[in-house]
Each structure stands twice: as C-alpha cells, then as structure tokens.
Amino acid sequence: MTHSTPVWQRSPGTGWTWDGSAAYIALPARMTPFAVIRLSDVGVAIWELIDGLRDEDEIVSEIVRVWEADEADVRPTVASFLDALASQGVVQPSDG
C-alpha cells in the first residue's frame, strides 16, 4: 500500500502506562534523566493509533470517525501532536 502521508511508529524502547485516569509516556533517557508526558484523552486516542501501519491520514480519519469531529479541526491537532512527539524522540516515521 502506498501512503500519501508519513506512517508513524513508536520509537523502540518508548515506555508508556495508563493509571486508570491518565496515560503517560516516558521520554527517552537521552533527553532527560526522568520525564514523562501526560496525554489528554485525544492524545491517548492518537497514541493508540501509532502502530507503524497507519499513516497520518488514516490516524486523522479514525479520530474523525470515533470522535465525530471535523477533519479541519482534527488534522492540525494530529500533525502537531506527532511533531511534538517526534521532537522528543518518542515517535518516528516508519517504512510502513
């Protein structure tokens, strides 16, 4: 399958946890001795779709479908979220 937008995957060794009320991603040790990112509900939904198989368009489409949201609102949110995680070394483009 050819993708028109990047396929994203979690970076190897990236840890995350759900404590029943919030989800947290542990930043790679090379970035800081210990730091975590707390995810919003939408962040969790996007995070769960980052599987190395879906491209950015597919992630946007699924969020639009599940959350019954407007694509014009979702697309920049997903792009910003992925860019922020990539800058922290938590996700990276995949070969798909």
Side-chain angles (χ1 to χ4, degrees), residues 8 56 78-88 91:
W8 290 92
E56 194 168 320
V78 169
S80 177
F81 184 79
L82 292 170
D83 288 345
L85 292 182
S87 73
Q88 297 292 324
V91 299

PDB file of all heavy atoms in Angstrom, residues 8 56 78-88 91:
ATOM      1  N   TRP A   8       3.625   6.421  10.965  1.00  0.00           N
ATOM      2  CA  TRP A   8       4.322   6.685  12.225  1.00  0.00           C
ATOM      3  C   TRP A   8       4.390   5.431  13.078  1.00  0.00           C
ATOM      4  O   TRP A   8       3.468   4.618  13.085  1.00  0.00           O
ATOM      5  CB  TRP A   8       3.623   7.798  12.993  1.00  0.00           C
ATOM      6  CG  TRP A   8       3.796   9.119  12.337  1.00  0.00           C
ATOM      7  CD1 TRP A   8       2.955   9.689  11.415  1.00  0.00           C
ATOM      8  CD2 TRP A   8       4.873  10.021  12.499  1.00  0.00           C
ATOM      9  NE1 TRP A   8       3.457  10.891  11.014  1.00  0.00           N
ATOM     10  CE2 TRP A   8       4.635  11.127  11.668  1.00  0.00           C
ATOM     11  CE3 TRP A   8       6.029  10.003  13.289  1.00  0.00           C
ATOM     12  CZ2 TRP A   8       5.501  12.207  11.593  1.00  0.00           C
ATOM     13  CZ3 TRP A   8       6.889  11.091  13.215  1.00  0.00           C
ATOM     14  CH2 TRP A   8       6.628  12.172  12.377  1.00  0.00           C
ATOM     15  N   GLU A  56      -0.523   9.172   8.614  1.00  0.00           N
ATOM     16  CA  GLU A  56      -1.153  10.311   9.281  1.00  0.00           C
ATOM     17  C   GLU A  56      -2.595  10.501   8.824  1.00  0.00           C
ATOM     18  O   GLU A  56      -3.482  10.787   9.646  1.00  0.00           O
ATOM     19  CB  GLU A  56      -0.318  11.562   9.016  1.00  0.00           C
ATOM     20  CG  GLU A  56      -0.672  12.716   9.901  1.00  0.00           C
ATOM     21  CD  GLU A  56       0.356  13.832   9.803  1.00  0.00           C
ATOM     22  OE1 GLU A  56       1.571  13.559   9.744  1.00  0.00           O
ATOM     23  OE2 GLU A  56      -0.074  14.994   9.802  1.00  0.00           O
ATOM     24  N   VAL A  78      -3.593  16.466  15.106  1.00  0.00           N
ATOM     25  CA  VAL A  78      -2.814  15.235  14.926  1.00  0.00           C
ATOM     26  C   VAL A  78      -1.401  15.584  14.457  1.00  0.00           C
ATOM     27  O   VAL A  78      -0.420  15.065  14.993  1.00  0.00           O
ATOM     28  CB  VAL A  78      -3.509  14.269  13.945  1.00  0.00           C
ATOM     29  CG1 VAL A  78      -2.587  13.127  13.544  1.00  0.00           C
ATOM     30  CG2 VAL A  78      -4.794  13.717  14.560  1.00  0.00           C
ATOM     31  N   ALA A  79      -1.282  16.479  13.471  1.00  0.00           N
ATOM     32  CA  ALA A  79       0.039  16.854  12.953  1.00  0.00           C
ATOM     33  C   ALA A  79       0.900  17.469  14.054  1.00  0.00           C
ATOM     34  O   ALA A  79       2.079  17.118  14.198  1.00  0.00           O
ATOM     35  CB  ALA A  79      -0.109  17.818  11.788  1.00  0.00           C
ATOM     36  N   SER A  80       0.331  18.339  14.844  1.00  0.00           N
ATOM     37  CA  SER A  80       1.064  18.985  15.939  1.00  0.00           C
ATOM     38  C   SER A  80       1.485  17.974  16.995  1.00  0.00           C
ATOM     39  O   SER A  80       2.617  18.008  17.502  1.00  0.00           O
ATOM     40  CB  SER A  80       0.180  20.074  16.555  1.00  0.00           C
ATOM     41  OG  SER A  80       0.818  20.660  17.650  1.00  0.00           O
ATOM     42  N   PHE A  81       0.595  17.053  17.322  1.00  0.00           N
ATOM     43  CA  PHE A  81       0.887  16.012  18.315  1.00  0.00           C
ATOM     44  C   PHE A  81       2.037  15.131  17.839  1.00  0.00           C
ATOM     45  O   PHE A  81       2.988  14.876  18.576  1.00  0.00           O
ATOM     46  CB  PHE A  81      -0.374  15.183  18.558  1.00  0.00           C
ATOM     47  CG  PHE A  81      -0.239  14.138  19.623  1.00  0.00           C
ATOM     48  CD1 PHE A  81      -0.308  14.470  20.961  1.00  0.00           C
ATOM     49  CD2 PHE A  81      -0.059  12.798  19.284  1.00  0.00           C
ATOM     50  CE1 PHE A  81      -0.200  13.493  21.951  1.00  0.00           C
ATOM     51  CE2 PHE A  81       0.053  11.821  20.259  1.00  0.00           C
ATOM     52  CZ  PHE A  81      -0.017  12.175  21.595  1.00  0.00           C
ATOM     53  N   LEU A  82       1.966  14.684  16.583  1.00  0.00           N
ATOM     54  CA  LEU A  82       3.030  13.840  16.036  1.00  0.00           C
ATOM     55  C   LEU A  82       4.358  14.587  15.979  1.00  0.00           C
ATOM     56  O   LEU A  82       5.401  14.028  16.326  1.00  0.00           O
ATOM     57  CB  LEU A  82       2.636  13.324  14.650  1.00  0.00           C
ATOM     58  CG  LEU A  82       1.479  12.333  14.625  1.00  0.00           C
ATOM     59  CD1 LEU A  82       1.027  12.079  13.187  1.00  0.00           C
ATOM     60  CD2 LEU A  82       1.844  11.038  15.324  1.00  0.00           C
ATOM     61  N   ASP A  83       4.329  15.840  15.557  1.00  0.00           N
ATOM     62  CA  ASP A  83       5.560  16.638  15.508  1.00  0.00           C
ATOM     63  C   ASP A  83       6.162  16.808  16.899  1.00  0.00           C
ATOM     64  O   ASP A  83       7.379  16.714  17.073  1.00  0.00           O
ATOM     65  CB  ASP A  83       5.291  18.013  14.893  1.00  0.00           C
ATOM     66  CG  ASP A  83       5.042  17.965  13.395  1.00  0.00           C
ATOM     67  OD1 ASP A  83       5.355  16.932  12.760  1.00  0.00           O
ATOM     68  OD2 ASP A  83       4.519  18.962  12.859  1.00  0.00           O
ATOM     69  N   ALA A  84       5.314  17.066  17.893  1.00  0.00           N
ATOM     70  CA  ALA A  84       5.804  17.242  19.262  1.00  0.00           C
ATOM     71  C   ALA A  84       6.433  15.948  19.786  1.00  0.00           C
ATOM     72  O   ALA A  84       7.512  15.979  20.400  1.00  0.00           O
ATOM     73  CB  ALA A  84       4.666  17.693  20.176  1.00  0.00           C
ATOM     74  N   LEU A  85       5.775  14.814  19.543  1.00  0.00           N
ATOM     75  CA  LEU A  85       6.341  13.539  19.997  1.00  0.00           C
ATOM     76  C   LEU A  85       7.622  13.206  19.252  1.00  0.00           C
ATOM     77  O   LEU A  85       8.579  12.696  19.844  1.00  0.00           O
ATOM     78  CB  LEU A  85       5.320  12.417  19.833  1.00  0.00           C
ATOM     79  CG  LEU A  85       4.095  12.471  20.737  1.00  0.00           C
ATOM     80  CD1 LEU A  85       3.203  11.251  20.488  1.00  0.00           C
ATOM     81  CD2 LEU A  85       4.456  12.562  22.201  1.00  0.00           C
ATOM     82  N   ALA A  86       7.663  13.499  17.951  1.00  0.00           N
ATOM     83  CA  ALA A  86       8.877  13.238  17.160  1.00  0.00           C
ATOM     84  C   ALA A  86      10.039  14.087  17.676  1.00  0.00           C
ATOM     85  O   ALA A  86      11.173  13.604  17.759  1.00  0.00           O
ATOM     86  CB  ALA A  86       8.619  13.502  15.685  1.00  0.00           C
ATOM     87  N   SER A  87       9.775  15.326  18.048  1.00  0.00           N
ATOM     88  CA  SER A  87      10.849  16.197  18.542  1.00  0.00           C
ATOM     89  C   SER A  87      11.404  15.707  19.872  1.00  0.00           C
ATOM     90  O   SER A  87      12.541  16.021  20.221  1.00  0.00           O
ATOM     91  CB  SER A  87      10.364  17.646  18.667  1.00  0.00           C
ATOM     92  OG  SER A  87       9.499  17.796  19.769  1.00  0.00           O
ATOM     93  N   GLN A  88      10.630  14.914  20.586  1.00  0.00           N
ATOM     94  CA  GLN A  88      11.060  14.333  21.856  1.00  0.00           C
ATOM     95  C   GLN A  88      11.665  12.939  21.683  1.00  0.00           C
ATOM     96  O   GLN A  88      12.066  12.299  22.645  1.00  0.00           O
ATOM     97  CB  GLN A  88       9.902  14.254  22.846  1.00  0.00           C
ATOM     98  CG  GLN A  88       9.331  15.603  23.232  1.00  0.00           C
ATOM     99  CD  GLN A  88      10.308  16.415  24.058  1.00  0.00           C
ATOM    100  OE1 GLN A  88      11.048  15.883  24.866  1.00  0.00           O
ATOM    101  NE2 GLN A  88      10.320  17.712  23.835  1.00  0.00           N
ATOM    102  N   VAL A  91       8.278   9.140  18.869  1.00  0.00           N
ATOM    103  CA  VAL A  91       7.771   8.503  17.649  1.00  0.00           C
ATOM    104  C   VAL A  91       8.714   8.850  16.502  1.00  0.00           C
ATOM    105  O   VAL A  91       9.482   9.809  16.583  1.00  0.00           O
ATOM    106  CB  VAL A  91       6.318   8.919  17.301  1.00  0.00           C
ATOM    107  CG1 VAL A  91       5.358   8.537  18.397  1.00  0.00           C
ATOM    108  CG2 VAL A  91       6.232  10.399  16.969  1.00  0.00           C
TER     109      VAL A  91
END
